[in-house]
Amino acid sequence: MQNSFTEENYLKIIHALSGRDGGEVSTNALAESTATRAASVTDMLRKLAEKGLINYKKYQGVTLTELGEKVAIKVIRKHRLWEVFLVEKLGFGWDEVHDIAEELEHIPSEILVEKLDAFLGHPRFDPHGDPIPDAKGNLMEPDYGVLTDVQLGEKVRMMGVLDHAPSFLQHLDRSGLTLGSLIEVKEINEYDRSASVQIDGGPTLFISLEVSKNVLVQRR
Amino acid sequence: MQNSFTEENYLKIIHALSGRDGGEVSTNALAESTATRAASVTDMLRKLAEKGLINYKKYQGVTLTELGEKVAIKVIRKHRLWEVFLVEKLGFGWDEVHDIAEELEHIPSEILVEKLDAFLGHPRFDPHGDPIPDAKGNLMEPDYGVLTDVQLGEKVRMMGVLDHAPSFLQHLDRSGLTLGSLIEVKEINEYDRSASVQIDGGPTLFISLEVSKNVLVQRR
DNA sequence: TAAAAAATTTAGACTAGTCTAAATTTTATT
DNA sequence: AATAAAATTTAGACTAGTCTAAATTTTTTA
């Protein structure tokens, strides 16, 4: 049984919204993320439940079934592999690939994914630092911290981003912050929780709370 | 105005069926190629005509407008570029790529196509020898002959195939016939128009009329 | 804990693309 | 040229996915 483009999107979004704990996702949250109305979401939820992809009781929110989780992770694997392809092979910027990968992720064919994966050298992370599920569907979520939680004087490594919006990624580019950057927190302003940080032992940078909140780092 | 997956498929098929001369395509022919019913085709034709993509008068068959031709050629360009990618980069066989390219060809994004084209080194032909339209939409159809038209004793170069069915392509693989093979016609059997041919000055091969009809060659 | 607010679901409707069956037009054949 | 056959179109209906408006359930709050 094949799942439609739309069904795959719902599963992917439910996966994203239910987070690490796999908690219930609300109808309204889905309506917002799918850019549809709550009524439409309800219809789709009934359908996904009938196909055994989600656990759904009226008014109670939804979680993925094991089957639904499997499908969602396959979509995520494809999305992230295509993003690697677009950046590494075609030369796109990390701020340009999301929408295209959003289309490519729904191309069927297991063998295509596996050949793509091999061609790319079995990458473990996508251009935004998000982990790529392996062929068996294992998704290892590294537990990075957020830059806001880093103490004064600490040195951390930038490993990913929470916000994938092009405007945010472009802002990071202009700031000289990229994956792998070594960040040392030199100063924290109590008032607005903005900070001054030194990048790779070089230039010092002023960072707003808004940015700090969305930068994932490895504390050592 | 974006064209749907389905609309693009109709345009591509109309292009293919109207041939070099751009002649009218019948409703029934479209029904057959799209694997739908004639009634469904009629509905779609009305829609495509309204969008200015085809010239359509009831009962008269259809041709592409300039706009429709442009859209069709873009789809063909994408299809053939993706086929090159699948074969050259991912290692698929030429018999395995059609269905996957059928999906990939509908991924929007002009820039994706152009970057893919550059990544592949601006190939002129796809893995089946079909010419790839350039970025401006020029499609240069080389005028190859068919192997059936080759005279006894002639030496020709294999340049393409008319049948793209996996079973046919696999048959060619098993026979040792690939694009670029030098074919010398050693013998023609009047009875069934089968032939014996020598490949690249090496082994001699028996070829049925059915195969000859579908092999495109360059006569020198 | 009852009323108000928020969230969710149901009812009925719309579009794209498809279908079958019937009607119509064109083409082929006596 | 009249009729039969083939091709095409129309009419009416169905599914997937969406919508608005109204009804219902849950949650919040006073």
Side-chain angles (χ1 to χ4, degrees):
Chain A
M1 190 200 313
Q2 266 295 78
N3 302 298
S4 73
F5 189 105
T6 309
E7 287 167 349
E8 287 189 349
N9 267 336
Y10 270 85
L11 295 174
K12 182 187 63 175
I13 290 170
I14 293 168
H15 179 92
L17 293 180
S18 67
R20 217 165 299 204
D21 49 337
E24 281 82 18
V25 177
S26 75
T27 300
N28 266 0
L30 281 169
E32 162 127 40
S33 289
T34 56
T36 63
R37 300 314 187 117
S40 313
V41 172
T42 301
D43 288 343
M44 182 58 72
L45 293 184
R46 193 179 308 108
K47 190 178 154 196
L48 292 172
E50 238 156 59
K51 290 182 107 178
L53 294 161
I54 59 172
N55 305 115
Y56 173 53
K57 284 219 196 73
K58 288 202 296 187
Y59 298 100
Q60 300 311 132
V62 294
T63 57
L64 293 175
T65 61
E66 285 211 8
L67 178 58
E69 175 87 6
K70 256 185 67 177
V71 175
I73 285 184
K74 276 188 190 180
V75 176
I76 291 164
R77 173 167 163 79
K78 290 196 276 183
H79 182 101
R80 294 180 182 170
L81 283 173
W82 280 117
E83 284 199 342
V84 174
F85 169 71
L86 294 171
V87 169
E88 297 295 319
K89 302 295 183 180
L90 297 197
F92 279 96
W94 69 338
D95 57 313
E96 302 176 305
V97 296
H98 189 269
D99 291 354
I100 299 176
E102 206 75 2
E103 304 277 336
L104 288 165
E105 73 189 5
H106 302 291
I107 303 284
S109 172
E110 295 278 325
I111 181 145
L112 172 60
V113 186
E114 298 323 314
K115 284 192 184 263
L116 179 64
D117 184 40
F119 175 61
L120 299 172
H122 306 288
R124 314 266 314 279
F125 299 92
D126 79 9
H128 310 104
D130 295 312
I132 299 175
D134 69 19
K136 298 193 203 80
N138 302 311
L139 175 49
M140 214 55 80
E141 293 276 11
D143 70 328
Y144 299 136
V146 179
L147 191 49
T148 41
D149 295 342
V150 176
Q151 306 294 312
L152 193 64
E154 256 190 288
K155 279 186 198 160
V156 295
R157 182 79 64 185
M158 173 164 168
M159 303 303 282
V161 292
L162 284 179
D163 185 355
H164 290 195
S167 58
F168 176 64
L169 300 174
Q170 286 157 16
H171 177 73
L172 293 183
D173 280 341
R174 282 191 302 268
S175 307
L177 266 174
T178 54
L179 292 194
S181 295
L182 193 64
I183 301 174
E184 179 170 358
V185 179
K186 292 292 202 183
E187 189 184 340
I188 297 179
N189 306 296
E190 280 306 318
Y191 173 61
D192 59 0
R193 296 182 57 206
S194 62
S196 293
V197 301
Q198 190 176 25
I199 309 303
D200 294 320
T204 293
L205 193 67
F206 176 83
I207 282 188
S208 70
L209 175 62
E210 222 23 54
V211 167
S212 294
K213 272 181 184 168
N214 286 295
V215 170
L216 289 173
V217 299
Q218 179 81 270
R219 311 176 73 168
R220 290 96 45 82
Chain B
M1 191 200 313
Q2 266 293 76
N3 302 299
S4 72
F5 189 105
T6 309
E7 287 168 347
E8 288 190 348
N9 267 336
Y10 270 85
L11 296 174
K12 181 186 62 173
I13 290 170
I14 293 168
H15 178 93
L17 293 179
S18 66
R20 216 164 298 205
D21 49 338
E24 281 82 19
V25 177
S26 75
T27 299
N28 267 0
L30 281 169
E32 161 127 39
S33 289
T34 55
T36 63
R37 300 313 187 121
S40 314
V41 172
T42 300
D43 288 344
M44 183 57 73
L45 294 184
R46 193 179 310 108
K47 191 177 153 195
L48 292 173
E50 237 156 60
K51 289 181 111 178
L53 295 161
I54 60 172
N55 304 114
Y56 173 53
K57 284 220 194 72
K58 287 203 294 189
Y59 298 99
Q60 300 311 133
V62 293
T63 57
L64 292 175
T65 61
E66 284 210 10
L67 178 58
E69 175 87 5
K70 255 185 67 178
V71 174
I73 285 185
K74 276 190 188 176
V75 175
I76 291 164
R77 172 166 162 81
K78 289 196 275 184
H79 182 101
R80 294 180 180 169
L81 284 173
W82 280 117
E83 284 200 343
V84 173
F85 170 71
L86 294 171
V87 169
E88 298 295 318
K89 301 296 182 180
L90 296 197
F92 278 98
W94 68 340
D95 58 313
E96 302 175 305
V97 295
H98 189 270
D99 291 354
I100 299 176
E102 207 75 1
E103 304 278 337
L104 288 165
E105 73 189 7
H106 302 292
I107 302 284
S109 173
E110 296 279 326
I111 181 149
L112 171 60
V113 185
E114 298 323 316
K115 285 195 184 261
L116 178 64
D117 185 40
F119 176 61
L120 298 172
H122 305 288
R124 314 265 315 277
F125 299 93
D126 79 10
H128 310 104
D130 295 313
I132 298 175
D134 71 19
K136 296 192 205 82
N138 303 310
L139 175 50
M140 215 52 82
E141 293 276 11
D143 69 329
Y144 298 137
V146 178
L147 191 48
T148 40
D149 295 340
V150 177
Q151 306 293 311
L152 193 63
E154 258 190 286
K155 279 187 197 157
V156 295
R157 183 77 64 186
M158 174 164 167
M159 303 303 283
V161 293
L162 285 179
D163 185 355
H164 290 196
S167 59
F168 176 64
L169 300 173
Q170 286 157 15
H171 177 73
L172 293 182
D173 280 341
R174 282 189 303 269
S175 308
L177 267 174
T178 53
L179 291 194
S181 295
L182 193 62
I183 301 174
E184 179 171 355
V185 180
K186 292 293 202 181
E187 190 185 337
I188 297 179
N189 305 297
E190 281 307 319
Y191 172 62
D192 60 0
R193 297 179 61 203
S194 62
S196 292
V197 301
Q198 191 176 26
I199 309 303
D200 294 320
T204 293
L205 193 68
F206 176 82
I207 282 189
S208 71
L209 175 63
E210 225 19 60
V211 168
S212 295
K213 272 180 183 168
N214 286 294
V215 170
L216 288 173
V217 298
Q218 178 81 271
R219 311 176 73 170
R220 291 93 46 82

